């Protein structure tokens, strides 16, 4: 499809790290979009990414928005840096895609959600697993089988970003990483009613600055009656597993980002994704902003529900008390 430059969606990016580079690569492959500007407080990072996609670099994201007036913005900052970038987009009426997790503090995400709702803005979030065709297939199977038990896990290494091991910067592993599994759980099995979690940590010489738990376990009660367990650990030197098992009467589904195993007897059937969800999540956002589609599967308000679940697990682990997620419940402000 040949598209005139002037009719291509002009995209700005705030944050120029690892995930921004991934989105920029996908977006520059779209014939109907182009990345025009990159804003990062670290000017060298902004320039390095801008150079890969013919964009202009800014060390001041607000100036980028004012000078470039992009049609849409990708917000790819670490968890602690949310708030100002989103509200800067809302006040200028610019639709945005924001990476998970939405924030460290619940109040920040709630303020953004209210502002987005008032402005009627198109938003999307980085919960790309929802676009995988094996997730769609799992949902179709579950429409015929009532889930009774769920087992979610994320057993991995510490990612190579400095902010990840600091609780006030990342929110910890459940909020930052397990959140993809929590979102999958909500998408496939429904809402969680209550959680009870425990966590622990031990000094790790290779991460002297770490103050996050390196093991968290939780039990869940789902609104529809299913029970569940979750386990997260960053103790490994490799990614061992990240996924969700769902058990119904006579059926076990084992879902990861790379495969779906369907077992009704001792000979499971394995399916592999036939699409690239990391491509499709960007395609859906660009189509929505361009008025050509309506397939944003996790807009901001939806992602906020997943974020509330992650924060509830973290709160329960911190207090040792069960946390209810029933509507209207006010979270414990001392644990935000
Ligand atoms: N959906 C996914 O699969 C996926 C994958 C990787 C990362 N992520 C998420 O993306 C986010 C960023 O991760 P990353 O790996 O790119 O981190 P990173 O540390 O590599 O990059 C973050 C960048 O943001 C910049 N920054 C910080 N505060 C800023 C601000 N206020 N304004 C502008 N720029 C600012 C930093 O200078 C840095 O360049 C994290 O929340 C992470 O969880 C999502």
């Amino acid at each position: 499809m040949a598209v005139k430059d002037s009719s291509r969606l002009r995209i700005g990016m705030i944050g120029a790290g690892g995930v921004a580079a991934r989105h920029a690569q996908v977006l520059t492959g779209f014939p109907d979009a182009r990345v025009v500007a990159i804003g990062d407080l670290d000017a060298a990072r902004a320039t390095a990414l801008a150079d890969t996609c013919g964009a202009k670099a800014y060390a001041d994201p607000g100036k980028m928005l004012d000078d470039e007036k992009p049609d849409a913005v990708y917000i790819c900052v670490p968890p602690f840096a949310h708030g100002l970038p989103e509200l800067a987009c809302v006040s200028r009426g610019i639709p945005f895609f924001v990476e998970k997790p939405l924030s460290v503090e619940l109040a920040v995400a709630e303020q953004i959600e209210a502002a987005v709702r008032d402005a009627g803005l198109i938003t999307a979030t980085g919960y790309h697993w929802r676009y995988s065709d094996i997730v769609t297939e799992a949902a179709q199977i579950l429409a015929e089988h009532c889930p009774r038990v769920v087992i979610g896990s994320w057993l991995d290494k510490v990612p190579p970003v400095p902010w990840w091991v600091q609780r006030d910067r990342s929110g910890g592993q459940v909020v930052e990483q397990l959140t993809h599994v929590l979102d999958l759980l909500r998408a496939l099995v429904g809402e969680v009613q209550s959680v009870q979690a425990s966590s622990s940590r031990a000094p790790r010489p290779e991460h002297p600055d770490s103050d996050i738990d390196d093991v968290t376990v939780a039990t869940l009660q789902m609104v529809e009656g299913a029970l569940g367990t979750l386990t997260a650990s960053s103790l490994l030197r490799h990614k061992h597993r990240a996924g969700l098992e769902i058990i119904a009467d006579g059926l076990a589904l084992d879902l990861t980002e790379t495969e779906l195993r369907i077992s009704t007897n001792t000979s499971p059937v394995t399916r592999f994704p036939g699409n690239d969800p990391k491509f499709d999540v960007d395609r859906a956002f660009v189509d929505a902003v361009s008025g050509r589609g309506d397939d944003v599967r996790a807009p901001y308000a939806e992602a906020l529900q997943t974020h509330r679940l992650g924060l509830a697990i973290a709160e329960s682990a911190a207090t040792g008390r069960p946390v209810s997620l029933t509507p209207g419940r006010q979270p414990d402000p001392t644990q935000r």
Side-chain angles (χ1 to χ4, degrees):
M1 172 171 51
V3 181
K4 275 191 284 179
D5 235 28
S6 59
S7 62
R8 292 165 79 179
L9 199 75
R10 301 175 69 258
I11 296 174
M13 305 191 85
I14 300 179
V19 82
R22 190 186 88 202
H23 287 296
Q25 193 181 13
V26 171
L27 292 166
T28 51
F30 289 172
D32 54 347
R34 62 194 174 110
V35 179
V36 295
I38 311 276
D40 195 301
L41 302 182
D42 182 332
R45 284 193 139 200
T47 301
L49 184 56
D51 285 350
T52 69
C53 47
K56 192 168 171 190
Y58 288 83
D60 177 347
K63 181 167 167 49
M64 177 193 86
L65 297 179
D66 289 335
D67 286 4
E68 301 290 336
K69 301 187 173 36
D71 301 314
V73 165
Y74 272 68
I75 299 172
C76 300
V77 299
F80 65 87
H82 290 288
L84 285 180
E86 289 89 339
L87 296 173
C89 289
V90 175
S91 67
R92 293 165 175 83
I94 304 173
F96 65 84
F97 180 116
V98 62
E99 266 303 341
K100 43 59 61 179
L102 300 184
S103 64
V104 172
E105 309 275 327
L106 181 60
V108 170
E110 287 183 333
Q111 184 190 2
I112 295 166
E113 192 273 330
V116 162
R117 190 161 18 95
D118 286 351
L121 219 52
I122 292 173
T123 57
T125 59
Y127 289 108
H128 61 267
W129 290 29
R130 289 185 182 229
Y131 287 85
S132 174
D133 58 5
I134 56 175
V135 172
T136 305
E137 182 170 0
Q140 286 161 352
I141 294 169
L142 290 171
E144 307 293 323
H145 296 81
C146 179
R148 297 283 312 282
V149 187
V150 293
I151 305 159
S153 53
W154 198 297
L155 308 171
D156 206 338
K157 59 183 183 301
V158 171
V161 279
W163 46 264
W164 202 85
V165 292
Q166 289 167 340
R167 189 187 173 92
D168 63 349
R169 293 167 78 75
S170 71
Q173 188 183 14
V174 168
V175 170
E176 209 283 336
Q177 207 171 44
L178 185 70
T179 187
H180 278 299
V181 172
L182 303 180
D183 191 61
L184 197 59
L185 171 70
R186 290 187 53 253
L188 290 175
V189 186
E191 299 299 341
V192 173
Q193 184 171 310
S194 62
V195 298
Q196 167 85 63
S198 301
S199 60
S200 72
R201 68 170 166 270
R204 298 178 66 182
E206 71 275 35
H207 299 294
D209 297 339
S210 177
D211 65 358
I212 60 164
D213 297 321
D214 44 30
V215 176
T216 303
V217 295
T219 56
L220 311 173
Q221 168 90 51
M222 310 285 297
V223 169
E224 299 291 329
L227 301 177
T229 66
L230 297 166
T231 309
S233 178
S234 57
L235 281 173
L236 302 176
R237 307 292 178 272
H238 67 289
K239 186 173 186 175
H240 174 67
R241 180 181 164 79
L244 186 66
E245 291 169 83
I246 303 171
I247 311 296
D249 192 359
L251 171 78
L253 299 183
D254 186 354
L255 186 57
T256 68
E257 205 171 350
T258 53
E259 66 176 48
L260 168 64
R261 206 140 38 90
I262 308 161
S263 310
T264 54
N265 53 42
T266 52
S267 305
V269 175
T270 304
R271 305 261 198 251
F272 300 100
N275 68 325
D276 179 356
K278 291 174 180 167
F279 176 96
D280 289 348
V281 72
D282 288 337
R283 189 64 256 170
F285 175 63
V286 168
D287 284 345
V289 175
S290 308
R292 279 195 293 273
D294 185 19
D295 191 26
V296 172
R297 299 187 188 178
Y300 199 91
E302 174 66 14
L304 179 57
Q305 290 300 100
T306 295
H307 193 44
R308 283 199 173 100
L309 174 56
L311 290 170
I313 295 167
E315 178 186 328
S316 178
T319 61
R321 292 197 298 267
V323 174
S324 165
L325 284 132
T326 47
R329 168 194 177 265
Q330 291 305 308
D332 180 346
T334 63
Q335 297 303 322
R336 286 184 195 178

